[in-house]
Amino acid sequence: MSLTVITILCICLTSSIGILLGSMKFKGISIGVCGVLFAGLIGGYILNKEQIVLNSEVLSFLREFGLILFIYSTGMTIGPNIFTSLKKDGILMNIMSIAVVAIGFIITVLIGKLGFANVAQAVGLYAGAVNSTPSLGAGQQILTDLKIDLSLLPQTGMMYALSYPFAIISGIFVFIIIKSIFKINIADEVALYEARKAKDNPNMQGFNVIVNNPNFNGIEIGHFLKMIHYSMAVSRMKRGSDYIVPHEHTKLQVGDILLLFGPQSIFETVSILFQVDNERDLMKESEKAIQSQSILLTKPMHVGKPLKTIMGGERRHWVISRVIRNGISHSPTPDFKLAYGDKIIAVGKSTDVLPLVRYLGNSKQAITAVRFIPFFVGMIIGIFIGLIPFKIPGIDATIKLGTAGGPLLTALLLSYRGSLGRMVFFTPSIVLSAFKDLGLILFLAVVGLSSGAYFFNLICSFLGLSMIGLGILITALPMMAVGVFMRYYKKMNYLTICGTLSGCISSLPTLTFILNMSGTDAAMLGYASVYPLTLILRILTIQVIALLLF
Protein backbone atom coordinates (compact mmCIF):
# COMPACT_ATOMS: atom_id res chain seq x y z
CA MET A 1 0.00 0.00 0.00
CA SER A 2 1.48 3.35 -1.05
CA LEU A 3 2.06 6.22 1.35
CA THR A 4 -0.50 8.31 -0.54
CA VAL A 5 -3.19 5.66 -0.05
CA ILE A 6 -2.27 5.32 3.64
CA THR A 7 -2.59 9.10 4.04
CA ILE A 8 -6.03 9.18 2.38
CA LEU A 9 -7.10 6.20 4.49
CA CYS A 10 -6.09 8.05 7.68
CA ILE A 11 -8.03 11.14 6.57
CA CYS A 12 -11.17 9.08 5.91
CA LEU A 13 -10.87 7.20 9.21
CA THR A 14 -10.26 10.41 11.15
CA SER A 15 -13.23 12.10 9.50
CA SER A 16 -15.59 9.20 10.24
CA ILE A 17 -14.61 8.92 13.90
CA GLY A 18 -14.63 12.70 14.30
CA ILE A 19 -18.14 13.10 12.89
CA LEU A 20 -19.36 10.40 15.26
CA LEU A 21 -17.60 12.10 18.16
CA GLY A 22 -19.04 15.49 17.22
CA SER A 23 -22.60 14.12 17.11
CA MET A 24 -22.49 13.11 20.78
CA LYS A 25 -24.38 15.53 23.02
CA PHE A 26 -23.84 16.58 26.62
CA LYS A 27 -26.92 18.28 28.06
CA GLY A 28 -28.10 19.11 24.57
CA ILE A 29 -24.78 20.58 23.43
CA SER A 30 -22.39 19.03 20.91
CA ILE A 31 -19.17 20.18 19.27
CA GLY A 32 -20.41 19.22 15.81
CA VAL A 33 -17.96 18.83 12.97
CA CYS A 34 -15.08 20.06 15.16
CA GLY A 35 -15.07 16.55 16.62
CA VAL A 36 -12.94 15.78 13.55
CA LEU A 37 -10.19 18.00 14.97
CA PHE A 38 -10.01 16.05 18.22
CA ALA A 39 -10.16 12.73 16.39
CA GLY A 40 -7.25 13.99 14.30
CA LEU A 41 -5.26 14.90 17.40
CA ILE A 42 -5.69 11.37 18.75
CA GLY A 43 -4.80 9.94 15.36
CA GLY A 44 -1.71 12.15 15.09
CA TYR A 45 -0.56 11.03 18.55
CA ILE A 46 -0.96 7.34 17.64
CA LEU A 47 0.84 7.76 14.30
CA ASN A 48 3.74 9.52 15.98
CA LYS A 49 3.98 6.80 18.61
CA GLU A 50 4.05 4.15 15.90
CA GLN A 51 6.57 6.25 13.93
CA ILE A 52 4.31 6.45 10.86
CA VAL A 53 4.85 9.55 8.72
CA LEU A 54 2.10 10.54 6.30
CA ASN A 55 2.57 12.09 2.85
CA SER A 56 3.09 15.79 3.53
CA GLU A 57 2.18 16.85 -0.03
CA VAL A 58 -1.19 15.09 0.14
CA LEU A 59 -1.88 16.62 3.56
CA SER A 60 -0.95 20.07 2.29
CA PHE A 61 -3.24 19.73 -0.75
CA LEU A 62 -6.21 18.49 1.28
CA ARG A 63 -5.76 21.25 3.86
CA GLU A 64 -5.68 24.04 1.27
CA PHE A 65 -8.44 22.63 -0.92
CA GLY A 66 -10.63 21.91 2.10
CA LEU A 67 -10.18 25.45 3.39
CA ILE A 68 -11.00 27.05 0.03
CA LEU A 69 -14.06 24.82 -0.45
CA PHE A 70 -15.31 25.57 3.07
CA ILE A 71 -14.75 29.31 2.89
CA TYR A 72 -16.22 29.75 -0.59
CA SER A 73 -19.32 27.68 0.24
CA THR A 74 -19.80 29.64 3.46
CA GLY A 75 -19.62 32.92 1.55
CA MET A 76 -22.14 31.67 -1.02
CA THR A 77 -24.50 30.73 1.82
CA ILE A 78 -24.46 34.04 3.70
CA GLY A 79 -23.91 36.37 0.73
CA PRO A 80 -27.54 36.87 -0.40
CA ASN A 81 -28.42 38.36 3.01
CA ILE A 82 -25.13 40.19 3.62
CA PHE A 83 -26.66 43.68 3.60
CA THR A 84 -29.85 42.71 5.43
CA SER A 85 -27.80 42.56 8.63
CA LEU A 86 -27.01 46.27 8.30
CA LYS A 87 -30.62 47.34 8.84
CA LYS A 88 -32.14 48.59 12.09
CA ASP A 89 -30.56 46.79 15.07
CA GLY A 90 -28.12 45.06 12.72
CA ILE A 91 -25.91 48.15 12.69
CA LEU A 92 -25.71 48.17 16.49
CA MET A 93 -25.04 44.43 16.62
CA ASN A 94 -22.25 44.72 14.06
CA ILE A 95 -20.70 47.54 16.09
CA MET A 96 -20.74 45.06 18.98
CA SER A 97 -18.90 42.53 16.83
CA ILE A 98 -16.27 45.11 15.86
CA ALA A 99 -15.73 45.92 19.54
CA VAL A 100 -15.40 42.24 20.51
CA VAL A 101 -12.94 41.59 17.67
CA ALA A 102 -10.92 44.72 18.50
CA ILE A 103 -10.58 43.89 22.22
CA GLY A 104 -9.61 40.29 21.47
CA PHE A 105 -7.10 41.50 18.88
CA ILE A 106 -5.46 43.90 21.37
CA ILE A 107 -5.27 41.21 24.08
CA THR A 108 -3.63 38.75 21.68
CA VAL A 109 -1.06 41.28 20.48
CA LEU A 110 -0.21 42.15 24.11
CA ILE A 111 0.19 38.45 24.95
CA GLY A 112 2.71 38.14 22.13
CA LYS A 113 4.52 41.43 22.79
CA LEU A 114 4.89 40.66 26.50
CA GLY A 115 6.49 37.31 25.70
CA PHE A 116 3.74 34.99 26.96
CA ALA A 117 3.49 33.29 23.56
CA ASN A 118 5.43 33.17 20.31
CA VAL A 119 3.82 34.20 17.04
CA ALA A 120 2.63 30.67 16.12
CA GLN A 121 1.13 30.13 19.56
CA ALA A 122 -0.57 33.53 19.55
CA VAL A 123 -2.12 32.90 16.14
CA GLY A 124 -3.43 29.49 17.23
CA LEU A 125 -4.74 30.85 20.53
CA TYR A 126 -6.58 33.67 18.81
CA ALA A 127 -8.22 31.35 16.26
CA GLY A 128 -9.25 28.80 18.88
CA ALA A 129 -10.46 31.39 21.38
CA VAL A 130 -12.93 32.71 18.81
CA ASN A 131 -13.79 29.28 17.33
CA SER A 132 -12.76 30.50 13.88
CA THR A 133 -11.45 27.78 11.60
CA PRO A 134 -11.16 30.19 8.63
CA SER A 135 -8.89 32.47 10.64
CA LEU A 136 -6.75 29.47 11.61
CA GLY A 137 -6.31 28.73 7.92
CA ALA A 138 -5.49 32.36 7.17
CA GLY A 139 -3.04 32.45 10.08
CA GLN A 140 -1.22 29.30 9.00
CA GLN A 141 -0.99 30.60 5.46
CA ILE A 142 0.55 33.95 6.37
CA LEU A 143 3.00 32.27 8.74
CA THR A 144 4.07 30.07 5.83
CA ASP A 145 4.40 33.15 3.59
CA LEU A 146 6.52 34.82 6.28
CA LYS A 147 8.78 31.75 6.17
CA ILE A 148 8.42 30.97 9.86
CA ASP A 149 10.41 28.06 11.24
CA LEU A 150 8.42 25.04 10.03
CA SER A 151 8.87 23.31 13.39
CA LEU A 152 6.73 26.07 14.97
CA LEU A 153 3.84 25.82 12.50
CA PRO A 154 2.14 22.77 14.15
CA GLN A 155 1.87 24.86 17.34
CA THR A 156 -0.93 26.88 15.73
CA GLY A 157 -3.07 23.74 15.47
CA MET A 158 -2.20 22.66 19.01
CA MET A 159 -3.05 26.08 20.48
CA TYR A 160 -6.27 26.13 18.46
CA ALA A 161 -7.26 22.73 19.86
CA LEU A 162 -6.30 23.79 23.40
CA SER A 163 -8.36 26.96 23.43
CA TYR A 164 -11.32 25.83 21.33
CA PRO A 165 -13.31 23.80 23.93
CA PHE A 166 -12.62 26.30 26.70
CA ALA A 167 -13.87 29.11 24.47
CA ILE A 168 -17.24 27.36 24.39
CA ILE A 169 -17.28 26.81 28.15
CA SER A 170 -16.15 30.35 28.99
CA GLY A 171 -18.71 31.80 26.56
CA ILE A 172 -21.52 29.98 28.37
CA PHE A 173 -20.18 31.19 31.73
CA VAL A 174 -20.19 34.78 30.43
CA PHE A 175 -23.89 34.42 29.59
CA ILE A 176 -24.62 33.03 33.06
CA ILE A 177 -22.66 35.83 34.77
CA ILE A 178 -24.42 38.59 32.78
CA LYS A 179 -27.78 36.99 33.61
CA SER A 180 -26.86 36.96 37.29
CA ILE A 181 -25.49 40.53 37.37
CA PHE A 182 -28.65 42.05 35.89
CA LYS A 183 -31.05 39.53 37.52
CA ILE A 184 -32.56 38.73 34.14
CA ASN A 185 -35.81 36.77 33.83
CA ILE A 186 -35.73 34.76 30.59
CA ALA A 187 -39.54 34.67 30.30
CA ASP A 188 -39.67 38.49 30.41
CA GLU A 189 -36.97 38.78 27.74
CA VAL A 190 -38.84 36.35 25.49
CA ALA A 191 -42.09 38.30 25.92
CA LEU A 192 -40.42 41.61 25.09
CA TYR A 193 -38.74 40.14 22.05
CA GLU A 194 -41.89 38.50 20.69
CA ALA A 195 -43.86 41.74 21.11
CA ARG A 196 -41.29 43.70 19.15
CA LYS A 197 -40.95 40.95 16.56
CA ALA A 198 -44.68 41.06 15.84
CA LYS A 199 -44.51 44.83 15.37
CA ASP A 200 -41.41 44.83 13.13
CA ASN A 201 -42.13 41.62 11.21
CA PRO A 202 -40.92 42.27 7.63
CA ASN A 203 -42.91 39.38 6.17
CA MET A 204 -46.00 40.18 4.15
CA GLN A 205 -49.35 39.46 5.79
CA GLY A 206 -52.90 39.48 4.45
CA PHE A 207 -55.42 42.19 5.44
CA ASN A 208 -59.07 42.16 4.36
CA VAL A 209 -60.45 45.70 4.11
CA ILE A 210 -63.64 47.41 2.95
CA VAL A 211 -63.37 50.60 0.90
CA ASN A 212 -65.56 52.89 3.01
CA ASN A 213 -63.70 56.13 2.36
CA PRO A 214 -65.45 58.23 -0.34
CA ASN A 215 -62.16 60.03 -1.03
CA PHE A 216 -60.94 56.84 -2.75
CA ASN A 217 -63.98 56.45 -4.98
CA GLY A 218 -62.73 56.37 -8.59
CA ILE A 219 -59.04 56.25 -7.58
CA GLU A 220 -56.96 53.80 -9.62
CA ILE A 221 -55.27 51.05 -7.61
CA GLY A 222 -51.91 52.00 -9.12
CA HIS A 223 -52.32 55.53 -7.76
CA PHE A 224 -53.27 54.17 -4.31
CA LEU A 225 -50.20 51.90 -4.24
CA LYS A 226 -48.00 54.82 -5.24
CA MET A 227 -49.41 56.82 -2.31
CA ILE A 228 -48.19 54.18 0.16
CA HIS A 229 -44.85 53.73 -1.70
CA TYR A 230 -45.80 50.27 -2.95
CA SER A 231 -45.44 48.84 0.54
CA MET A 232 -48.54 46.71 -0.08
CA ALA A 233 -50.10 44.76 -2.95
CA VAL A 234 -53.78 44.36 -3.82
CA SER A 235 -54.12 40.70 -4.78
CA ARG A 236 -57.90 40.16 -4.88
CA MET A 237 -61.08 42.22 -4.96
CA LYS A 238 -64.75 41.50 -4.41
CA ARG A 239 -67.25 43.84 -6.05
CA GLY A 240 -70.83 42.86 -5.47
CA SER A 241 -70.87 39.11 -6.02
CA ASP A 242 -67.90 39.07 -8.40
CA TYR A 243 -64.32 38.15 -7.49
CA ILE A 244 -61.77 40.15 -9.48
CA VAL A 245 -58.00 40.10 -9.98
CA PRO A 246 -57.34 43.87 -10.01
CA HIS A 247 -54.66 45.62 -12.07
CA GLU A 248 -53.15 49.05 -11.54
CA HIS A 249 -55.80 50.78 -13.68
CA THR A 250 -58.73 49.22 -11.82
CA LYS A 251 -60.72 52.01 -10.18
CA LEU A 252 -61.83 51.63 -6.58
CA GLN A 253 -65.48 51.99 -5.60
CA VAL A 254 -67.02 52.43 -2.16
CA GLY A 255 -68.08 48.99 -0.96
CA ASP A 256 -65.25 47.11 -2.66
CA ILE A 257 -63.61 44.44 -0.52
CA LEU A 258 -59.84 44.17 -0.97
CA LEU A 259 -57.23 41.62 0.08
CA LEU A 260 -54.04 43.56 0.79
CA PHE A 261 -50.62 42.01 1.38
CA GLY A 262 -48.08 44.01 3.36
CA PRO A 263 -45.96 44.15 6.52
CA GLN A 264 -47.55 44.41 9.96
CA SER A 265 -45.94 47.84 10.40
CA ILE A 266 -48.30 49.39 7.84
CA PHE A 267 -51.44 47.99 9.47
CA GLU A 268 -52.13 51.26 11.32
CA THR A 269 -52.00 53.25 8.06
CA VAL A 270 -54.39 50.82 6.38
CA SER A 271 -56.85 50.96 9.29
CA ILE A 272 -56.98 54.76 8.94
CA LEU A 273 -57.67 54.65 5.19
CA PHE A 274 -60.12 51.73 5.09
CA GLN A 275 -62.27 49.63 7.36
CA VAL A 276 -60.40 46.47 8.37
CA ASP A 277 -62.59 43.35 8.25
CA ASN A 278 -60.98 40.76 10.51
CA GLU A 279 -63.94 38.38 10.17
CA ARG A 280 -63.57 37.94 6.43
CA ASP A 281 -61.13 35.70 4.55
CA LEU A 282 -61.29 36.84 0.94
CA MET A 283 -58.58 34.38 -0.12
CA LYS A 284 -60.66 31.42 1.04
CA GLU A 285 -63.89 32.88 -0.35
CA SER A 286 -62.43 33.35 -3.83
CA GLU A 287 -60.30 30.22 -4.10
CA LYS A 288 -62.61 28.60 -6.66
CA ALA A 289 -62.54 31.62 -8.95
CA ILE A 290 -59.00 32.84 -8.32
CA GLN A 291 -55.88 30.84 -7.47
CA SER A 292 -52.46 31.84 -6.18
CA GLN A 293 -49.41 30.16 -7.66
CA SER A 294 -45.75 30.06 -6.67
CA ILE A 295 -43.47 30.55 -9.67
CA LEU A 296 -39.69 30.11 -9.50
CA LEU A 297 -37.42 32.39 -11.50
CA THR A 298 -35.15 29.93 -13.31
CA LYS A 299 -34.44 31.73 -16.60
CA PRO A 300 -31.05 33.49 -16.30
CA MET A 301 -32.02 36.13 -18.87
CA HIS A 302 -34.51 37.67 -16.42
CA VAL A 303 -32.18 37.78 -13.39
CA GLY A 304 -31.65 41.34 -12.21
CA LYS A 305 -34.70 42.72 -14.01
CA PRO A 306 -37.04 44.97 -11.99
CA LEU A 307 -40.62 43.81 -11.54
CA LYS A 308 -41.97 46.69 -13.63
CA THR A 309 -40.41 45.17 -16.76
CA ILE A 310 -42.16 41.88 -16.01
CA MET A 311 -45.52 43.35 -15.06
CA GLY A 312 -45.52 45.72 -18.05
CA GLY A 313 -48.15 48.36 -18.66
CA GLU A 314 -50.96 46.29 -20.16
CA ARG A 315 -54.14 45.34 -18.29
CA ARG A 316 -53.22 41.91 -16.96
CA HIS A 317 -55.51 39.26 -15.53
CA TRP A 318 -52.98 38.37 -12.83
CA VAL A 319 -51.16 40.24 -10.08
CA ILE A 320 -47.94 39.64 -8.16
CA SER A 321 -48.76 39.76 -4.45
CA ARG A 322 -45.25 39.23 -3.05
CA VAL A 323 -41.78 37.88 -3.78
CA ILE A 324 -40.18 35.37 -1.41
CA ARG A 325 -36.38 35.29 -1.16
CA ASN A 326 -34.54 33.16 1.38
CA GLY A 327 -37.76 32.67 3.32
CA ILE A 328 -38.54 36.39 3.62
CA SER A 329 -41.52 37.97 1.82
CA HIS A 330 -40.89 41.25 0.01
CA SER A 331 -43.32 43.85 -1.31
CA PRO A 332 -43.57 43.73 -5.13
CA THR A 333 -42.36 47.28 -5.70
CA PRO A 334 -41.79 48.22 -9.38
CA ASP A 335 -38.03 48.62 -8.82
CA PHE A 336 -37.58 45.32 -6.93
CA LYS A 337 -34.92 43.37 -8.83
CA LEU A 338 -35.36 39.64 -9.15
CA ALA A 339 -32.69 37.10 -8.25
CA TYR A 340 -32.31 33.54 -9.48
CA GLY A 341 -34.46 31.20 -7.40
CA ASP A 342 -36.89 33.91 -6.22
CA LYS A 343 -40.40 32.61 -5.59
CA ILE A 344 -42.96 34.94 -7.16
CA ILE A 345 -46.50 34.60 -5.82
CA ALA A 346 -48.91 35.33 -8.68
CA VAL A 347 -52.68 35.57 -8.20
CA GLY A 348 -55.14 34.83 -11.03
CA LYS A 349 -56.73 32.01 -12.98
CA SER A 350 -54.30 29.24 -13.90
CA THR A 351 -54.79 29.84 -17.63
CA ASP A 352 -54.13 33.58 -17.24
CA VAL A 353 -50.95 33.02 -15.18
CA LEU A 354 -49.53 30.46 -17.65
CA PRO A 355 -47.68 33.07 -19.80
CA LEU A 356 -45.93 34.37 -16.66
CA VAL A 357 -44.93 30.82 -15.71
CA ARG A 358 -43.35 30.33 -19.12
CA TYR A 359 -41.66 33.72 -18.93
CA LEU A 360 -40.03 33.07 -15.54
CA GLY A 361 -39.18 29.41 -16.14
CA ASN A 362 -40.47 27.71 -12.96
CA SER A 363 -38.19 24.71 -13.54
CA LYS A 364 -37.76 22.66 -10.37
CA GLN A 365 -35.07 20.66 -12.14
CA ALA A 366 -33.07 23.82 -12.87
CA ILE A 367 -33.39 25.09 -9.30
CA THR A 368 -31.85 21.89 -7.91
CA ALA A 369 -29.12 21.58 -10.54
CA VAL A 370 -25.50 22.19 -9.53
CA ARG A 371 -23.70 24.63 -11.83
CA PHE A 372 -20.13 23.42 -11.47
CA ILE A 373 -18.62 25.82 -14.03
CA PRO A 374 -19.79 29.02 -12.20
CA PHE A 375 -18.84 27.42 -8.88
CA PHE A 376 -15.25 26.72 -9.95
CA VAL A 377 -14.99 30.04 -11.82
CA GLY A 378 -15.93 31.78 -8.57
CA MET A 379 -13.25 29.89 -6.65
CA ILE A 380 -10.67 30.72 -9.33
CA ILE A 381 -11.52 34.43 -9.07
CA GLY A 382 -11.36 34.20 -5.27
CA ILE A 383 -7.93 32.56 -5.28
CA PHE A 384 -6.50 35.26 -7.57
CA ILE A 385 -8.06 38.04 -5.47
CA GLY A 386 -6.48 36.44 -2.41
CA LEU A 387 -3.05 36.81 -4.03
CA ILE A 388 -3.34 40.60 -4.45
CA PRO A 389 -1.05 42.33 -1.90
CA PHE A 390 -2.10 45.50 -0.09
CA LYS A 391 -0.85 47.53 2.84
CA ILE A 392 -2.43 48.52 6.14
CA PRO A 393 -1.34 51.92 7.50
CA GLY A 394 1.26 51.54 10.24
CA ILE A 395 2.47 48.11 9.08
CA ASP A 396 5.48 47.90 6.77
CA ALA A 397 4.80 44.44 5.38
CA THR A 398 2.15 43.77 2.77
CA ILE A 399 -0.89 41.66 3.54
CA LYS A 400 -3.04 39.42 1.38
CA LEU A 401 -6.55 38.08 1.79
CA GLY A 402 -5.10 34.67 0.95
CA THR A 403 -7.00 31.44 0.29
CA ALA A 404 -9.32 32.26 3.17
CA GLY A 405 -10.19 35.92 2.56
CA GLY A 406 -10.12 35.97 -1.25
CA PRO A 407 -12.67 33.19 -1.85
CA LEU A 408 -14.84 34.54 0.99
CA LEU A 409 -15.01 38.07 -0.40
CA THR A 410 -15.64 36.77 -3.92
CA ALA A 411 -18.41 34.41 -2.78
CA LEU A 412 -20.13 37.16 -0.80
CA LEU A 413 -20.20 39.50 -3.79
CA LEU A 414 -21.12 36.89 -6.41
CA SER A 415 -23.91 35.33 -4.34
CA TYR A 416 -25.32 38.74 -3.50
CA ARG A 417 -25.29 39.81 -7.14
CA GLY A 418 -26.51 36.41 -8.30
CA SER A 419 -25.11 36.48 -11.81
CA LEU A 420 -22.59 37.97 -14.21
CA GLY A 421 -24.24 38.25 -17.60
CA ARG A 422 -25.66 34.83 -18.41
CA MET A 423 -23.50 33.08 -15.81
CA VAL A 424 -25.65 32.32 -12.75
CA PHE A 425 -23.87 31.63 -9.47
CA PHE A 426 -26.90 30.25 -7.65
CA THR A 427 -26.15 26.94 -5.92
CA PRO A 428 -28.81 24.93 -4.04
CA SER A 429 -28.51 25.36 -0.28
CA ILE A 430 -28.28 21.62 0.34
CA VAL A 431 -25.28 21.43 -2.03
CA LEU A 432 -23.57 24.39 -0.37
CA SER A 433 -24.09 22.78 3.02
CA ALA A 434 -22.50 19.54 1.81
CA PHE A 435 -19.52 21.34 0.21
CA LYS A 436 -19.05 23.46 3.32
CA ASP A 437 -19.03 20.47 5.66
CA LEU A 438 -16.73 18.46 3.36
CA GLY A 439 -14.21 21.31 3.14
CA LEU A 440 -14.25 21.85 6.90
CA ILE A 441 -13.88 18.13 7.62
CA LEU A 442 -10.85 17.82 5.33
CA PHE A 443 -9.20 20.91 6.81
CA LEU A 444 -9.76 19.90 10.44
CA ALA A 445 -8.65 16.32 9.84
CA VAL A 446 -5.32 17.51 8.44
CA VAL A 447 -4.82 20.09 11.22
CA GLY A 448 -5.53 17.44 13.85
CA LEU A 449 -3.24 14.81 12.35
CA SER A 450 -0.45 17.38 11.92
CA SER A 451 -0.73 18.70 15.48
CA GLY A 452 -1.51 15.55 17.46
CA ALA A 453 2.06 14.30 17.97
CA TYR A 454 2.81 16.54 20.94
CA PHE A 455 -0.65 17.78 21.90
CA PHE A 456 -1.31 15.48 24.85
CA ASN A 457 2.11 16.09 26.39
CA LEU A 458 1.47 19.82 26.06
CA ILE A 459 -1.97 19.83 27.68
CA CYS A 460 -0.58 18.22 30.83
CA SER A 461 2.28 20.71 31.16
CA PHE A 462 2.48 24.14 32.80
CA LEU A 463 2.81 25.69 29.34
CA GLY A 464 -0.40 24.02 28.22
CA LEU A 465 -2.35 25.15 31.27
CA SER A 466 -1.07 28.70 30.91
CA MET A 467 -2.08 28.73 27.24
CA ILE A 468 -5.57 27.56 28.17
CA GLY A 469 -5.79 30.47 30.61
CA LEU A 470 -4.66 32.95 27.96
CA GLY A 471 -7.21 31.54 25.52
CA ILE A 472 -10.01 32.00 28.05
CA LEU A 473 -8.86 35.60 28.54
CA ILE A 474 -9.09 36.27 24.78
CA THR A 475 -12.59 34.78 24.71
CA ALA A 476 -14.22 35.94 27.92
CA LEU A 477 -12.94 39.49 28.50
CA PRO A 478 -14.22 41.00 25.21
CA MET A 479 -17.56 39.20 25.54
CA MET A 480 -18.05 40.29 29.14
CA ALA A 481 -17.08 43.91 28.52
CA VAL A 482 -19.30 44.35 25.46
CA GLY A 483 -22.19 42.32 26.89
CA VAL A 484 -22.33 44.31 30.14
CA PHE A 485 -22.07 47.61 28.24
CA MET A 486 -24.90 46.74 25.85
CA ARG A 487 -27.19 45.63 28.67
CA TYR A 488 -26.44 48.47 31.06
CA TYR A 489 -26.25 51.42 28.66
CA LYS A 490 -28.26 50.28 25.62
CA LYS A 491 -30.81 48.07 27.42
CA MET A 492 -30.47 45.48 24.67
CA ASN A 493 -32.48 42.30 25.00
CA TYR A 494 -30.48 39.63 26.83
CA LEU A 495 -31.27 36.98 24.18
CA THR A 496 -30.08 39.27 21.40
CA ILE A 497 -26.88 40.00 23.35
CA CYS A 498 -26.15 36.30 23.78
CA GLY A 499 -26.85 35.50 20.12
CA THR A 500 -24.69 38.39 18.93
CA LEU A 501 -21.82 37.41 21.22
CA SER A 502 -22.10 33.81 19.99
CA GLY A 503 -21.74 35.14 16.45
CA CYS A 504 -18.73 37.19 17.53
CA ILE A 505 -16.92 33.98 18.50
CA SER A 506 -18.55 31.85 15.77
CA SER A 507 -19.77 29.43 18.43
CA LEU A 508 -22.78 27.28 17.60
CA PRO A 509 -22.60 25.41 20.96
CA THR A 510 -23.02 28.65 22.93
CA LEU A 511 -25.83 29.63 20.56
CA THR A 512 -27.46 26.24 21.18
CA PHE A 513 -27.20 26.84 24.92
CA ILE A 514 -29.17 30.10 24.75
CA LEU A 515 -31.66 28.70 22.20
CA ASN A 516 -32.46 25.80 24.51
CA MET A 517 -32.90 28.26 27.35
CA SER A 518 -35.24 30.64 25.53
CA GLY A 519 -37.07 28.63 22.87
CA THR A 520 -37.19 31.64 20.53
CA ASP A 521 -35.20 32.80 17.50
CA ALA A 522 -33.90 36.04 19.04
CA ALA A 523 -30.41 34.63 19.59
CA MET A 524 -30.31 33.09 16.11
CA LEU A 525 -31.06 36.45 14.48
CA GLY A 526 -28.29 38.09 16.49
CA TYR A 527 -25.86 35.36 15.45
CA ALA A 528 -26.78 35.62 11.78
CA SER A 529 -26.58 39.43 11.78
CA VAL A 530 -22.93 39.60 12.85
CA TYR A 531 -21.49 36.36 11.48
CA PRO A 532 -20.55 37.65 7.98
CA LEU A 533 -18.70 40.75 9.23
CA THR A 534 -17.08 38.84 12.09
CA LEU A 535 -15.80 36.19 9.69
CA ILE A 536 -14.12 38.81 7.51
CA LEU A 537 -12.65 40.67 10.49
CA ARG A 538 -11.21 37.50 12.04
CA ILE A 539 -9.46 36.58 8.78
CA LEU A 540 -7.93 40.06 8.48
CA THR A 541 -6.99 40.57 12.14
CA ILE A 542 -5.20 37.23 12.51
CA GLN A 543 -2.93 38.20 9.62
CA VAL A 544 -2.20 41.54 11.26
CA ILE A 545 -1.40 39.71 14.52
CA ALA A 546 1.09 37.52 12.67
CA LEU A 547 2.72 40.55 11.02
CA LEU A 548 2.96 42.50 14.29
CA LEU A 549 4.45 39.59 16.24
CA PHE A 550 6.73 38.12 13.56
Side-chain angles (χ1 to χ4, degrees), residues 64 67-76 134-135 137-139 141 145 375-390 399-415 535-540 543:
E64 291 298 321
L67 179 64
I68 293 171
L69 187 61
F70 166 60
I71 289 290
Y72 185 78
S73 300
T74 300
M76 293 295 291
S135 66
Q141 184 183 54
D145 293 343
F375 191 87
F376 284 116
V377 166
M379 287 205 295
I380 291 169
I381 294 172
I383 291 170
F384 278 111
I385 288 178
L387 297 176
I388 300 173
F390 61 94
I399 192 172
K400 301 176 184 177
L401 291 176
T403 52
L408 174 64
L409 180 61
T410 303
L412 290 173
L413 295 176
L414 291 179
S415 60
L535 189 60
I536 295 170
L537 292 176
R538 295 299 186 190
I539 289 173
L540 291 175
Q543 295 184 71

Side-chain angles (χ1 to χ4, degrees), residues 447-499:
V447 170
L449 289 170
S450 302
S451 307
Y454 308 105
F455 175 78
F456 294 99
N457 291 330
L458 175 65
I459 199 171
C460 298
S461 66
F462 174 77
L463 176 61
L465 295 176
S466 64
M467 290 297 166
I468 290 173
L470 292 173
I472 292 174
L473 184 66
I474 296 171
T475 303
L477 185 58
M479 292 179 67
M480 180 64 73
V482 173
V484 169
F485 177 86
M486 296 307 296
R487 182 66 183 185
Y488 185 78
Y489 289 101
K490 297 297 182 180
K491 310 300 179 187
M492 181 177 278
N493 189 287
Y494 172 73
L495 305 177
T496 302
I497 290 174
C498 292

Side-chain angles (χ1 to χ4, degrees), residues 200-265:
D200 296 338
N201 188 356
N203 277 302
M204 308 276 281
Q205 301 176 52
F207 303 98
N208 296 282
V209 301
I210 301 173
V211 180
N212 63 334
N213 189 336
N215 294 324
F216 284 91
N217 197 51
I219 295 286
E220 290 187 350
I221 284 179
H223 181 66
F224 161 66
L225 293 175
K226 193 173 182 179
M227 288 172 55
I228 58 173
H229 307 291
Y230 296 96
S231 55
M232 303 198 90
V234 183
S235 68
R236 302 172 194 232
M237 170 190 288
K238 183 179 183 182
R239 177 171 291 169
S241 59
D242 297 327
Y243 295 102
I244 304 169
V245 178
H247 51 74
E248 62 179 10
H249 297 298
T250 302
K251 294 183 178 180
L252 295 174
Q253 295 180 11
V254 173
D256 285 346
I257 301 170
L258 309 177
L259 175 57
L260 305 178
F261 271 97
Q264 177 71 34
S265 57

Side-chain angles (χ1 to χ4, degrees), residues 302-311 333-338:
H302 301 314
V303 171
K305 287 186 178 180
L307 277 177
K308 60 185 176 184
T309 63
I310 294 174
M311 293 187 287
T333 60
D335 295 327
F336 185 88
K337 293 183 178 180
L338 294 174

Side-chain angles (χ1 to χ4, degrees), residues 407-426:
L408 174 64
L409 180 61
T410 303
L412 290 173
L413 295 176
L414 291 179
S415 60
Y416 178 76
R417 181 177 175 84
S419 63
L420 289 176
R422 293 294 181 89
M423 184 172 286
V424 175
F425 291 92
F426 176 86

